[in-house]
């Protein structure tokens, strides 16, 4: 939910994208102009994909990568590539950005909403197994776990789940590039939207250890053309040269961007360190996500959970012109478009849920590269005062 400022601009904004300067992009514009090649897997796009592939190849596990116009579009083509029956049920967590469920619907399937684990905020393999048992086992045709707020999922556990149940998995790691490891056989979708930790404007990637999965998704992103003929109906979900150019510049800035985010994250951890009984920072409970590429896994957003009702904190922030956002809330099961979806929770009437608890106790605080240490200290002081 966007918290509207009562009078004008927020003094301390929740999120400000950090993208390359125009000067840094200009050489690529000249290259494009020389090439007269602006879309359809051009040379800049090829270099960008190759660089992303290198970044995602860790522990010697080779992966294959294709680029897309957005994570949502990428999820759609990967879901279509699975070739499930029309109306097939696909399990997604109720706590996610709506695009996860929208991609399921746009692919001709039906989302089924699950609860999340109270510690990891994720739809875990254990929860998915419980849902399979509840639905009679045969109903759920695929699962789309989400790396919430950019916190990586345990991809190896999902590979095991896929083998044990035979139910295909696709991971929505939209906000977790490059910290989410791609699967050996499970495709992982990343977003490069301007608001994500690694933003290029609009864009998405799919990575997987299985080249055939990537080839199929790529083909479907180009209408479904195979040897000048449409074999499976696809879409136009390609990334153009302009975005790939921004991507190459952004890759050169990656370490600098990550160091900045790591500094801000640490600063928040420090300012709330003495108040862990009142304020819990989501993602601070030591997750590594199995990533070993040398990147510190800093979540996309700075979210806190408080014992007091979160509205108290939000109101205090508004008074000081500090913007907050309830990322991924309200949960899908309480949004109109998904109200009729089957819900598999522990509650008597569908989902009571961890996600509902978060609605009352969680919010996102300002977290972007243009914050100063003083800003963070001020935000923390306001939050702490409100949590007494
Ligand atoms: C941001 C986000 C998306 C959407 O990504 P786009 O590239 O904007 O389509 C999908 N799922 C999750 C979990 C996200 O955080």
């Amino acid at each position: 939910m966007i918290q509207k400022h009562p009078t004008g601009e927020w003094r301390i904004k929740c999120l400000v994208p950090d993208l390359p300067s125009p000067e840094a992009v200009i050489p690529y514009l000249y290259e494009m102009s020389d090439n007269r090649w602006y879309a359809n897997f051009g040379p800049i796009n090829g270099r960008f994909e190759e660089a992303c592939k290198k970044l995602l190849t860790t522990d010697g596990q080779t992966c294959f990568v294709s680029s897309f116009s957005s994570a949502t579009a990428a999820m759609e083509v990967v879901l279509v590539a699975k070739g499930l029956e029309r109306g097939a049920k696909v399990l997604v967590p109720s706590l996610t950005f709506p695009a996860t469920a929208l991609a399921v619907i746009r692919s001709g399937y039906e989302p089924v909403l699950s609860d999340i684990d109270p510690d990891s905020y994720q739809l875990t393999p254990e929860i998915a197994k419980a849902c399979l048992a509840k639905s009679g086992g045969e109903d759920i045709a695929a699962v789309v776990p989400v790396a919430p707020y950019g916190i990586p999922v345990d991809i190896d556990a999902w590979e095991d789940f896929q083998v044990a149940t035979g139910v295909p998995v696709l991971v929505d790691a939209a906000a977790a590039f490059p910290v989410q490891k791609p699967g050996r056989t499970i495709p992982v979708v990343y977003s490069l939207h301007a608001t994500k930790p690694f933003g290029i404007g609009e864009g998405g990637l799919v990575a997987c250890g299985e080249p055939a999965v990537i080839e199929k998704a790529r083909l479907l992103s180009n209408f479904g053309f195979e040897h000048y003929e449409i074999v499976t109906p696809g879409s136009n979900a390609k990334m153009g040269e302009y975005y790939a150019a921004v991507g190459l510049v952004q890759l050169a800035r990656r370490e600098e961007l990550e160091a900045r985010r790591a500094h801000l994250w640490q600063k928040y951890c420090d300012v709330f360190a003495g108040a862990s009984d009142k304020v819990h920072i989501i993602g601070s409970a030591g997750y590594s996500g199995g990533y070993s590429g040398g990147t510190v896994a800093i979540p996309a957003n700075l979210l806190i959970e408080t014992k007091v009702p979160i509205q108290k904190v939000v109101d205090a922030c508004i008074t000081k012109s500090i913007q907050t956002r309830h990322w991924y809330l309200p949960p899908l099961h309480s949004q109109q478009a998904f109200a009729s979806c089957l819900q598999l929770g522990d509650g008597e009437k569908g989902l009571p849920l961890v996600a509902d608890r978060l609605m009352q106790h969680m919010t996102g605080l300002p977290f972007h590269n243009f914050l100063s240490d003083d800003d963070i200290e001020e935000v923390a002081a306001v939050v702490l005062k409100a949590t007494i």
Side-chain angles (χ1 to χ4, degrees):
M1 275 178 292
I2 295 171
Q3 207 77 50
K4 269 253 163 57
H5 189 277
T7 55
E9 281 281 289
W10 295 99
R11 194 167 50 85
I12 302 182
K13 292 198 177 80
C14 196
L15 196 155
V16 179
D18 185 355
L19 267 76
S21 70
E23 291 76 26
V25 182
I26 285 172
Y28 291 95
L29 300 184
Y30 280 106
E31 182 184 338
M32 242 181 272
S33 177
D34 288 344
N35 292 338
R36 296 274 149 200
W37 195 344
Y38 302 96
N40 291 47
F41 313 118
I44 297 175
N45 185 268
R47 271 163 24 228
F48 178 59
E49 287 179 335
E50 197 52 39
C52 291
K53 174 179 167 171
K54 223 183 240 161
L55 197 57
L56 290 169
T57 296
T58 54
D59 304 334
Q61 185 189 308
T62 310
C63 75
F64 299 85
V65 173
S66 194
S67 58
F68 297 85
S69 50
S70 70
T72 308
M75 257 188 292
E76 274 181 45
V77 297
V78 175
L79 282 163
V80 167
K82 297 262 182 232
L84 309 175
E85 272 176 38
R86 189 153 263 286
K89 295 192 172 71
V90 178
L91 191 68
V92 304
S94 191
L95 182 77
T96 183
F97 186 72
T100 318
L102 291 175
V104 170
I105 295 171
R106 305 290 307 171
S107 317
Y109 310 137
E110 261 180 52
V112 173
L113 308 178
S114 90
D115 201 351
I116 46 160
D117 173 71
D119 297 321
S120 68
Y121 305 87
Q122 297 181 355
L123 160 57
T124 59
E126 292 71 35
I127 293 175
K129 275 186 187 159
C131 289
L132 290 186
K134 256 181 215 157
S135 69
E138 286 153 47
D139 266 328
I140 305 287
V143 183
V144 185
V146 172
Y149 312 118
I151 300 173
V153 304
D154 184 344
I155 193 74
D156 296 329
W158 280 109
E159 290 281 354
D160 293 345
F161 168 92
Q162 199 176 244
V163 171
T165 62
V167 176
V169 176
L170 152 70
V171 173
D172 177 358
F177 179 78
V179 295
Q180 174 67 60
K181 211 168 96 173
R184 284 191 310 280
T185 67
I186 294 175
V188 173
V189 175
Y190 306 91
S191 170
L192 307 177
H193 187 263
T195 55
K196 305 293 177 183
F198 183 90
I200 68 169
E202 287 272 18
L205 294 169
V206 180
C208 183
E210 206 59 79
V213 172
I214 295 302
E215 266 161 43
K216 184 85 196 248
R218 190 178 185 77
L219 183 153
L220 289 174
S221 78
N222 190 30
F223 309 99
F225 273 118
E226 210 171 338
H227 309 299
Y228 307 103
E229 179 189 359
I230 301 296
V231 178
T232 314
S235 185
N236 182 359
K238 304 185 296 294
M239 176 186 285
E241 290 287 87
Y242 287 95
Y243 282 120
V246 176
L248 281 178
V249 181
Q250 197 71 325
L251 277 175
R253 302 176 70 217
R254 189 180 59 84
E255 286 182 11
E256 171 200 329
L257 293 172
E258 281 172 3
R260 180 80 194 127
R261 294 177 65 78
H263 170 82
L264 297 169
W265 182 265
Q266 191 54 50
K267 181 75 191 164
Y268 263 112
C269 290
D270 292 347
V271 292
F272 285 125
S276 55
D277 54 328
K278 295 194 199 110
V279 177
H280 169 65
I281 300 180
I282 292 170
S284 62
Y287 68 89
S288 68
Y291 182 72
S292 59
T295 304
V296 190
I298 301 295
N301 312 108
L302 194 295
L303 288 121
I304 55 162
E305 224 187 309
T306 57
K307 289 236 166 63
V308 299
I310 202 66
Q311 198 56 44
K312 261 188 88 178
V313 173
V314 170
D315 289 343
C317 286
I318 291 173
T319 311
K320 298 286 180 192
S321 192
I322 296 167
Q323 187 184 23
T324 58
R325 286 191 62 173
H326 294 269
W327 301 112
Y328 295 178
L329 294 173
L332 299 187
H333 67 275
S334 47
Q335 297 188 32
Q336 254 185 67
F338 310 111
S340 63
C341 293
L342 179 64
Q343 301 174 13
L344 293 174
D346 282 336
E348 284 166 17
K349 290 183 291 190
L351 300 175
L353 272 213
V354 177
D356 285 334
R357 179 194 88 202
L358 298 182
M359 195 61 202
Q360 306 305 320
H361 295 279
M362 182 168 82
T363 195
L365 296 181
F367 191 57
H368 58 77
N369 289 354
F370 304 99
L371 286 176
S372 67
D373 286 7
D374 286 350
D375 289 336
I376 294 178
E377 275 170 27
E378 186 187 338
V379 171
V382 171
V383 169
L384 285 172
K385 202 167 156 214
T387 52
I388 292 169

